[in-house]
């Protein structure tokens, strides 16, 4: 079992950057793929990015490709979502999740964090 805690959200002006962190408890972090999802008010949760257990494979949603990158540090038990050129439409609650597959589908992730809020002003 793994517990996930997101941090790094906040209020940022459009065009700015933020780096979200997802810190995992336990020594088994390296066996899990990590995904980032987001949910804006009144909208369904959507896939943002995913990274494989080793970090060798990454997947980025088309809506954020070229602006967001995902990475991980298995020594520090932490995954990151670097967000640049932020737009107001990126405003959402961002969640990290852990599972055995670096998937774009949220149902394939077993563990979820509580989320961190990102607000992008215009």
């Amino acid at each position: 079992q793994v517990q996930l805690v997101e941090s790094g959200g906040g209020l940022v002006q459009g065009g700015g950057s933020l780096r979200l962190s997802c810190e995992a408890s336990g020594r088994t972090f390296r066996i899990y793929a990590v995904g980032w999802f987001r949910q804006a008010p009144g909208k369904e949760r959507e896939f943002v990015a995913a990274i494989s257990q080793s970090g060798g494979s990454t997947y980025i949603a088309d809506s954020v490709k070229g602006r967001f990158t995902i990475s991980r540090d298995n020594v520090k038990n932490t995954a990151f979502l670097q967000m640049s050129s932020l737009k107001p439409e990126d405003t959402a609650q961002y969640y990290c999740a852990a599972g055995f597959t670096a998937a774009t589908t949220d149902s394939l992730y077993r563990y979820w964090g509580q989320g961190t809020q990102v607000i992008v002003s215009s």
Side-chain angles (χ1 to χ4, degrees):
Q1 188 171 352
V2 61
Q3 293 182 325
L4 305 172
V5 178
E6 302 96 333
S7 62
L11 173 64
V12 63
Q13 201 166 10
S17 300
L18 282 175
R19 188 174 81 155
L20 305 184
S21 298
C22 172
E23 186 170 1
S25 63
R27 296 177 289 179
T28 59
F29 178 67
R30 64 175 58 85
I31 73 172
Y32 294 102
V34 174
W36 284 96
F37 292 79
R38 67 185 182 185
Q39 186 167 21
K43 295 187 177 181
E44 292 187 354
R45 186 162 57 192
E46 65 171 345
F47 168 76
V48 177
I51 188 166
S52 63
Q53 285 84 338
S54 67
S57 297
T58 60
Y59 309 90
I60 306 292
D62 288 342
S63 59
V64 302
K65 194 166 290 183
R67 300 188 297 120
F68 290 13
T69 58
I70 187 171
S71 61
R72 66 189 294 162
D73 183 335
N74 284 343
V75 174
K76 296 181 178 179
N77 285 357
T78 304
F80 304 96
L81 184 68
Q82 178 67 49
M83 307 185 296
S84 303
S85 302
L86 283 162
K87 305 175 182 180
E89 50 263 44
D90 295 318
T91 294
Q93 186 82 353
Y94 282 72
Y95 300 90
C96 69
F100 292 115
T101 303
T104 62
T105 305
D106 57 4
S107 62
L108 294 179
Y109 290 89
R110 180 173 296 189
Y111 304 107
W112 290 82
Q114 294 300 306
T116 185
Q117 183 73 34
V118 172
I119 300 173
V120 184
S121 64
S122 56

